[in-house]
Amino acid sequence: MPMNRSQARVIDPILSNVALGFKDPEFIGVNLFPIVDSPASGARIIKFGKEAFLKYLLRRSPGAKTARVQFGYDSDPIALVQDSLEGVVPREWMRDASQVPNIGLGSRAINSVMRIAYRALEIEQSELAQDAAKYDANHKVTLGTAWTDPAADIKADIDAGKAAVRASIGVEPNTLEIPYTAFQGAQNNTKVQAQFKYTSSESISAVMLAAFLGVDKVVVGKGVYAPDEDSDFVEIWTKAVLAYTPVNGQTIEEPSYGYTYVGEGQPLVEQAYWEQPVKSWIYPMEYERRPYITSMNAGYLLDGVQ
């Protein structure tokens, strides 16, 4: 009986760990959609209501049944998508062309591939988070004054979003994603600068802005991409998103605005092979993942911030 592809392929554990450990501060979507391992095939997305924040009767009388609680409910099936890309190490890069590339050259090839894969994921996460159709009327707003206007009342805008999320899930959002140009506007905002006028001579940082706005974390969407070789660069993030996401670690059972489900053992790297026509060693990489909004009520979309 012939082997299927997954049975036949041989995984490179060292370079798979390189791919798994890849991080780039340019990509901030995982702050809204934390990465969790996807359960077995056929699993379903767990979406959340108010279960985690209800008042429960915990006291038990002798002989009585113990109260039970289950967080979340099954929703749509998880449907992971697979990114597949190959890194190339040309023979000219190697001092000794008769040898397999060393781990350093292999790592460089995989890091280049992972940067492309993470950019693709970042674009997917941004498109999902910035889709106004994903939110109800109470969890989105189009601002009348952009944050690039020095007179904008950024704190009032954020306070309104925090109140909307708290009214829906019982806790305030703890993470703010802000586009790059909107962050520049916030740095020059009259009220923001006045807050730090006598305490710091430094430029307003994301940490300082988070303290001013009363959120745990502000992440700045700096990523760009080019639709094709003849196009100008496009901003990945153009709207701001307030969200509640887990603080210390996460599992699929913990309430969160969103998650990025990732296949078990992903990303993975197959062992390199030689391709004579291009006189190069080829490193195949595979990454099965998909972001989902698991609790719209835990998010708030701000359009018109820039």
Side-chain angles (χ1 to χ4, degrees):
M1 181 177 179
M3 292 186 294
N4 60 37
R5 178 173 179 271
S6 62
Q7 292 171 325
R9 70 186 176 192
V10 179
I11 308 304
D12 187 319
I14 296 177
L15 290 180
S16 290
N17 285 334
V18 170
L20 184 63
F22 177 84
K23 296 290 186 295
D24 191 324
E26 176 184 349
F27 304 128
I28 51 88
V30 292
N31 291 277
L32 298 178
F33 299 92
I35 290 176
V36 291
D37 290 334
S38 174
S41 177
R44 304 179 76 84
I45 303 166
I46 296 180
K47 292 194 173 181
F48 302 96
K50 298 181 179 179
E51 301 91 350
F53 308 104
L54 295 178
K55 178 181 178 182
Y56 291 96
L57 182 61
L58 305 180
R59 196 153 300 160
R60 173 182 172 272
S61 301
K65 291 184 177 181
T66 300
R68 296 178 180 176
V69 60
Q70 178 175 326
F71 294 154
Y73 59 91
D74 288 346
S75 181
D76 304 321
I78 294 173
L80 302 183
V81 296
Q82 183 184 104
D83 286 346
S84 186
L85 197 62
E86 294 181 330
V88 178
V89 177
R91 184 173 62 183
E92 291 78 7
W93 287 8
M94 296 178 287
R95 183 180 302 276
D96 186 344
S98 66
Q99 300 297 317
V100 175
N102 60 36
I103 188 64
L105 288 174
S107 297
R108 284 168 54 185
I110 292 306
N111 282 334
S112 296
V113 166
M114 286 306 302
R115 189 167 288 106
I116 295 172
Y118 267 54
R119 191 179 306 278
L121 175 59
E122 182 88 352
I123 292 170
E124 286 185 43
Q125 291 167 331
S126 71
E127 290 175 345
L128 186 59
Q130 296 177 125
D131 183 357
K134 301 294 185 185
Y135 302 80
D136 65 26
N138 295 326
H139 292 83
K140 61 184 174 184
V141 67
T142 299
L143 302 178
T145 303
W147 290 354
T148 49
D149 185 335
D153 195 339
I154 299 174
K155 192 171 190 310
D157 294 335
I158 294 301
D159 285 347
K162 289 163 64 176
V165 171
R166 183 175 180 273
S168 298
I169 67 170
V171 295
E172 290 186 344
N174 55 10
T175 301
L176 170 64
E177 171 277 316
I178 179 173
Y180 177 68
T181 56
F183 177 64
Q184 289 182 312
Q187 289 177 307
N188 296 312
N189 181 265
T190 304
K191 293 183 175 64
V192 175
Q193 288 189 337
Q195 175 71 20
F196 300 101
K197 182 177 181 180
Y198 300 107
T199 59
S200 176
S201 59
E202 300 178 357
S203 297
I204 307 300
S205 67
V207 172
M208 295 164 68
L209 186 61
F212 174 69
L213 298 176
V215 295
D216 292 345
K217 179 168 51 178
V218 168
V219 291
V220 183
K222 299 179 180 179
V224 297
Y225 73 98
D228 55 64
E229 291 185 359
D230 298 322
S231 300
D232 294 333
F233 284 108
V234 176
E235 296 286 344
I236 294 177
W237 297 94
T238 59
K239 303 176 184 179
V241 179
L242 265 173
Y244 173 79
T245 58
V247 177
N248 297 315
Q250 57 275 329
T251 64
I252 60 173
E253 296 84 6
E254 188 170 357
S256 176
Y257 163 79
Y259 280 118
T260 300
Y261 293 89
V262 175
E264 183 178 358
Q266 298 282 334
L268 59 82
V269 179
E270 299 180 30
Q271 286 200 339
Y273 65 92
W274 172 258
E275 189 168 286
Q276 180 62 30
V278 293
K279 294 180 173 55
S280 300
W281 285 92
I282 310 300
Y283 289 80
M285 184 280 299
E286 178 181 297
Y287 192 22
E288 292 184 349
R289 80 296 177 282
R290 190 165 187 170
Y292 287 96
I293 292 178
T294 53
S295 179
M296 177 276 297
N297 290 332
Y300 188 83
L301 179 66
L302 299 101
D303 197 357
V305 294
Q306 59 182 11

